[in-house]
Amino acid sequence: MFARILISLATIADPFYVVYAKTDLGAPPATVGLYLGALSVASLLSNFLWSPLSDRAGNRTLMVLTVVSVSLVPLMALALSSLAATVPSGILFGAFALVFVLSGLALGAARIINNNMLLSIAPPAERATYIGFLNTVLGIVIFVPVIGGVLVDIAGFQVLFVLSLLSSASALLVVRKMSTKSGAAG
């Protein structure tokens, strides 16, 4: 549950990557379609990667890779933003699509692992209760983007990206401490 909460917190910057690309990097409006297309295609195609991997390597492995994927999104945004002054804008705008490809990969992995991990550790008779409780707790986390918007206004995009990265690093620590027994079931 704590890992899922931290993963949700780590996506605090997700709604703001397009806004950042347009406002701070000066990306033209046409790139928004490129970014959303990259996100959609990566998310869809990632099912062919994550689902078989979960079947072969187990849910714990997929949970770790989900967190790594989530971590790479703000890391890529920070890395590309640091190159903004040295890379031609056309190349930068195209390269920024990688943020959305990584976000699509993370989204696909999270979609698969969201209930799989819980179903593998919950007693069969109590699975509905476990899922209901977790989804209730995660319902509170749905307001995280609102907090992200306030943070952008107060501190800027870079702070939001760093906060996202720190949340995903915390999630990685939690996930790495999970027992292999709980993630071994498919």
Side-chain angles (χ1 to χ4, degrees):
M1 180 170 72
F2 292 119
R4 289 276 311 278
I5 290 169
L6 289 168
I7 291 169
S8 293
L9 291 175
T11 63
I12 190 171
D14 284 3
F16 301 99
Y17 293 120
V18 169
V19 178
Y20 171 74
K22 286 188 68 182
T23 60
D24 285 26
L25 298 180
T31 58
V32 172
L34 169 70
Y35 296 156
L36 295 178
L39 174 75
S40 297
V41 169
S43 178
L44 178 66
L45 293 178
S46 71
N47 289 318
F48 296 108
L49 169 69
W50 299 128
S51 186
L53 183 66
S54 178
D55 291 342
R56 281 192 299 267
N59 288 327
R60 182 182 181 277
T61 299
L62 184 58
M63 183 70 114
V64 169
L65 291 173
T66 299
V67 174
V68 169
S69 297
V70 168
S71 302
L72 290 175
V73 177
L75 186 62
M76 180 61 72
L78 286 167
L80 289 172
S81 67
S82 70
L83 298 174
T86 60
V87 174
S89 59
I91 293 172
L92 182 64
F93 302 149
F96 205 76
L98 289 172
V99 171
F100 295 90
V101 169
L102 293 170
S103 185
L105 289 172
L107 182 64
R111 190 174 45 243
I112 290 171
I113 199 60
N114 276 346
N115 288 325
N116 283 5
M117 187 62 121
L118 187 61
L119 291 173
S120 70
I121 61 175
E126 297 177 29
R127 285 181 177 163
T129 303
Y130 276 56
I131 290 173
F133 178 73
L134 181 62
N135 287 333
T136 300
V137 170
L138 290 176
I140 297 167
V141 182
I142 201 163
F143 296 106
V144 166
V146 174
I147 296 167
V150 171
L151 281 172
V152 166
D153 286 343
I154 293 171
F157 289 104
Q158 302 296 323
V159 170
L160 187 65
F161 298 163
V162 169
L163 181 62
S164 176
L165 192 57
L166 291 173
S167 294
S168 59
S170 299
L172 187 58
L173 291 174
V174 169
V175 169
R176 300 230 354 123
K177 290 182 179 182
M178 293 170 67
S179 75
T180 54
K181 179 183 174 199
S182 67

